[in-house]
Amino acid sequence: MTQATLQETANIPPLNEESGERHWRDFFGFSTDHKVIGIQYLVTSFIFYCIGGVMADLVRTELRTPEVDFVTPEVYNSLFTLHATIMIFLWIVPAGAGFANYLIPLMIGARDMAFPRLNAVAFWMIPPAGILLIASLVLGDAPDAGWTSYPPLSLVTGQVGEEIWIMSVLLLGTSSILGSINFVVTLLKMRVPSMGIHQMPLFCWAMFATSALVLISTPVLAGALILLSFDLLAGTTFFNPTGGGDPVVYQHMFWFYSHPAVYIMILPFFGAISEIIPVHSRKPIFGYKAIAYSSLAISFLGLIVWAHHMFTSGIPGWLRMFFMITTMIIAVPTGIKIFSWLATMWGGKIRLNSAMIFAISFVGTFVIGGISGVMLAAVPFDIHVHDTYFVVAHLHYVLFGGSVLGIFAAIYHWFPKMTGRMINEFWGKVHAILTVVGLNMTFLPMHKLGLMGMNRRIAQYDPKFTSLNEICTYGSYILAISTLPFIINAIWSWLYGPKAGNNPWNALTLEWMTTSPPAIENFDKLPVLTTGPYDYGLSKAKEGVPLDDPNPVLSAGPNSVLRANPDPAVAAKSEDSK
Ligand code: HEM
Ligand SMILES: [Cu+2]
């Protein structure tokens, strides 16, 4: 990057006079500011990540040896049940909502979300739901039927624990639905007039696709849990075979939500990666429309694959065939994203900072998870490895190797905008490298354990699995250690890091056209767009010459928010749209 170019963009006055420095107390209050709520989601979900991570390491400590010698089998069952429930409903899903809350209004030129108070209510449902779950472990009556809570097991393992699990997940599901209503209405109704859908940043497309999935599938999970509650408390037999109920119906309802849930956990970070890679490759995104529509395709297909979790539950062969084929098709829109990201990096001038190291690792490890996913979609193979560590390996490569690495890439990328400070890059890289080493050491051997026949959800196992389990356990300790430099770095940099300025990455989407952190109302004057969101030196880029060409032709776009439109008519119209 030539100094001149950076200087040119850096000197462009932000679209707000005063930055919105917040007092720390604001983050503990009932704020309706989407930026405060976004950060509340991120910090709260990160705390739950740490708690879920400690539980995972306790599980791994028990699994270091073949005998049951660390926790009792009952506690072991509760630990992995809570570990998974926390990681899914209290870390990854809320973290996605956190970034969406913070970024969507800024990216589309709005002053806030469509329903700010509803937004705050959706957030404040999360802490009590989490505290309830963790309290159940402390009080010794935790859920222990796995995060799937399949009846009839969940009807006999312990009423109180199971009911706490149901209530907590119902609260979290409601929070997710309320958040998604806000995202959809804001994206459809609050964009600046000059932003057509094909000028919308890809993160916004991904969040639209995610929210549609949440709104369609979460109510079905709520239905299943309410019926399960009746079976538990009121003696009905919807899923209880002793009274003529059918537990497989519960599985259909549970997975009708829980498979889309994996896309609810990955799509927001697909969107974030589509923002991060072009900025740090200094090249326009490859295949904007293909990436945008692949999010919608994944969203649609994600609703018609759920029974690939039930290939061994006795469903008919023709149904298995249908779900095998739909599951394999979903690899196509996912592949479109992967190859577009690679094409964007190709020939770029890559700035290998922490955000980019996490982003590139995300692509690598997610592909490993994706490939094992296609293998598991094949009925003959799945019948052999269902409920083994091959499945545990797969889900961690897509959820840890995917979502968690995506979360960290997004944190390092938008940290300057959110805090007004630069995070320390040296410790960021230490965090990234330790995380990538730790995750592969923890989860790669699990593929082999699964192929060798080691079942999941057991604390005691055949001694022939010991050496690989030892590697997994030490890997999980490295993962725990890797989080420490991040925590110290984030707190220290937030308090004392060098000032970031408005646009340290010289990025071109709207959130970078405000101060860091942005003003309370984001923009004093509403921006007007003239070109697409990623047109880095468009003409040059088309020839494959990176933006950093010393004589770049800096187009007046993208999002040429660089100049507020003096045309009172437009300004008036944008006022009306609020
Ligand atoms: C921090 C590092 C992590 C480690 C060391 C870890 C370890 C484990 C282990 C060993 C199990 C299998 C327990 C068993 O079947 O007996 C497990 C299960 C599971 N983990 Fe993780 N995990 C980690 C992070 C995550 C993350 C980020 C997610 C994301 C959502 C996640 C989701 C799950 C799920 C869904 C299960 C299945 C639980 C069940 O069978 O009910 N884990 N984890
Ligand atoms: Cu699935």
Side-chain angles (χ1 to χ4, degrees):
M1 171 63 67
T2 59
Q3 200 47 39
T5 324
L6 185 57
Q7 206 47 43
E8 274 163 22
T9 47
N11 285 342
I12 288 163
L15 286 163
N16 60 302
E17 299 311 326
E18 272 159 65
S19 94
E21 293 282 352
R22 284 268 178 190
H23 193 280
W24 62 264
R25 260 198 299 274
D26 294 343
F27 295 102
F28 291 87
F30 191 84
S31 169
T32 58
D33 177 345
H34 72 97
K35 299 178 291 299
V36 173
I37 296 172
I39 290 176
Q40 286 174 325
Y41 266 103
L42 290 171
V43 174
T44 308
S45 60
F46 182 76
I47 293 169
F48 283 120
Y49 168 61
C50 297
I51 296 170
V54 168
M55 289 176 180
D57 276 27
L58 294 175
V59 165
R60 285 288 357 146
T61 305
E62 171 51 59
L63 289 169
R64 194 173 60 76
T65 59
E67 306 79 31
V68 180
D69 53 5
F70 180 61
V71 290
T72 63
E74 292 73 26
V75 171
Y76 181 84
N77 293 347
S78 295
L79 280 174
F80 71 69
T81 302
L82 286 175
H83 155 73
T85 307
I86 289 172
M87 285 298 191
I88 293 172
F89 293 105
L90 285 156
W91 161 229
I92 298 182
V93 173
F99 281 110
N101 247 300
Y102 193 93
L103 293 170
I104 289 180
L106 288 166
M107 280 181 165
I108 64 173
R111 289 204 160 91
D112 208 314
M113 299 289 281
F115 313 115
R117 272 179 289 276
L118 183 74
N119 206 17
V121 168
F123 166 72
W124 282 104
M125 287 181 168
I126 293 176
I131 292 164
L132 191 64
L133 266 184
I134 293 158
S136 73
L137 187 69
V138 179
L139 298 170
D141 215 332
D144 58 357
W147 86 278
T148 51
S149 274
Y150 279 5
L153 175 67
S154 55
L155 297 173
V156 294
T157 51
Q159 213 181 33
V160 177
E162 206 48 47
E163 200 47 44
I164 287 175
W165 183 85
I166 290 174
M167 282 199 297
S168 175
V169 174
L170 279 176
L171 208 52
L172 294 162
T174 310
S175 159
S176 178
I177 291 173
L178 298 181
S180 294
I181 293 171
N182 232 329
F183 298 143
V184 168
V185 176
T186 306
L187 286 167
L188 292 178
K189 298 299 289 177
M190 309 271 293
R191 294 193 316 272
V192 280
S194 53
M195 180 183 273
I197 57 161
H198 292 130
Q199 287 177 310
M200 209 168 53
L202 288 165
F203 179 75
C204 296
W205 280 89
M207 278 321 301
F208 184 82
T210 308
S211 305
L213 271 180
V214 170
L215 295 174
I216 295 168
S217 67
T218 316
V220 177
L221 175 73
L225 297 187
I226 291 166
L227 295 179
L228 188 68
S229 233
F230 274 98
D231 279 12
L232 263 173
L233 302 177
T236 55
T237 55
F238 294 106
F239 308 126
N240 190 340
T242 57
D246 184 350
V248 175
V249 173
Y250 171 89
Q251 294 185 26
H252 279 293
M253 294 176 79
F254 177 84
W255 286 113
F256 184 83
Y257 163 78
S258 297
H259 183 84
V262 303
Y263 289 110
I264 293 166
M265 286 191 276
I266 200 72
L267 272 166
F269 307 107
F270 280 165
I273 296 294
S274 294
E275 299 295 333
I276 295 168
I277 286 184
V279 171
H280 299 292
S281 304
R282 310 311 298 160
K283 261 187 70 186
I285 191 90
F286 181 93
Y288 171 86
K289 280 195 180 145
I291 295 180
Y293 288 103
S294 71
S295 295
L296 299 186
I298 288 173
S299 196
F300 169 71
L301 288 166
L303 287 165
I304 54 167
V305 296
W306 77 86
H308 64 220
H309 294 271
M310 299 165 61
F311 284 159
T312 62
S313 69
I315 57 173
W318 62 267
L319 200 54
R320 292 197 292 196
M321 282 306 117
F322 170 80
F323 283 105
M324 174 169 93
I325 293 164
T326 52
T327 306
M328 289 188 174
I329 293 173
I330 221 167
V332 176
T334 314
I336 285 173
K337 288 182 186 291
I338 303 282
F339 287 107
S340 299
W341 293 327
L342 295 177
T344 305
M345 286 192 266
W346 185 263
K349 210 171 175 184
I350 296 185
R351 184 165 42 201
L352 209 56
N353 56 20
S354 311
M356 204 49 181
I357 295 176
F358 273 110
I360 294 171
S361 311
F362 169 100
V363 176
T365 45
F366 184 80
V367 166
I368 295 174
I371 291 169
S372 61
V374 175
M375 292 165 73
L376 286 165
V379 174
F381 179 77
D382 184 68
I383 287 175
H384 288 286
V385 296
H386 185 73
D387 267 354
T388 72
Y389 263 85
F390 192 90
V391 176
V392 179
H394 163 71
L395 76 89
H396 286 96
Y397 263 89
V398 283
L399 291 174
F400 199 110
S403 309
V404 177
L405 293 193
I407 292 173
F408 283 125
I411 290 175
Y412 282 101
H413 182 68
W414 280 292
F415 186 91
K417 183 50 61 181
M418 291 179 179
T419 65
R421 308 255 175 186
M422 296 303 285
I423 197 163
N424 180 292
E425 272 298 322
F426 171 76
W427 289 108
K429 291 187 178 106
V430 170
H431 172 218
I433 293 161
L434 281 177
T435 306
V436 173
V437 170
L439 100 84
N440 284 296
M441 213 173 134
T442 309
F443 303 120
L444 201 60
M446 287 183 182
H447 292 95
K448 179 79 179 143
L449 284 169
L451 294 173
M452 288 165 69
M454 182 178 171
N455 274 97
R456 60 191 288 193
R457 295 178 169 167
I458 52 162
Q460 187 170 17
Y461 55 81
D462 185 319
K464 72 179 181 197
F465 300 133
T466 309
S467 55
L468 286 175
N469 270 294
E470 278 176 345
I471 297 171
C472 297
T473 299
Y474 296 132
S476 74
Y477 294 161
I478 293 176
L479 273 180
I481 293 163
S482 75
T483 319
L484 297 175
F486 168 71
I487 296 173
I488 299 165
N489 188 3
I491 295 172
W492 178 272
S493 303
W494 196 335
L495 296 171
Y496 310 111
K499 290 267 176 197
N502 314 330
N503 191 1
W505 311 133
N506 196 32
L508 295 167
T509 35
L510 273 180
E511 75 272 24
W512 300 103
M513 302 303 158
T514 64
T515 53
S516 300
I520 305 289
E521 295 257 317
N522 297 351
F523 305 98
D524 300 345
K525 305 174 223 59
L526 278 190
V528 171
L529 308 178
T530 55
T531 58
Y534 306 104
D535 295 352
Y536 291 108
L538 192 63
S539 54
K540 291 284 178 195
K542 273 221 179 81
E543 295 150 17
V545 178
L547 174 66
D548 301 41
D549 178 304
N551 307 313
V553 178
L554 191 61
S555 69
N559 304 347
S560 48
V561 296
L562 309 180
R563 302 277 174 280
N565 187 311
D567 172 350
V570 173
K573 204 166 130 255
S574 63
E575 286 301 319
D576 298 346
S577 71
K578 260 195 288 164

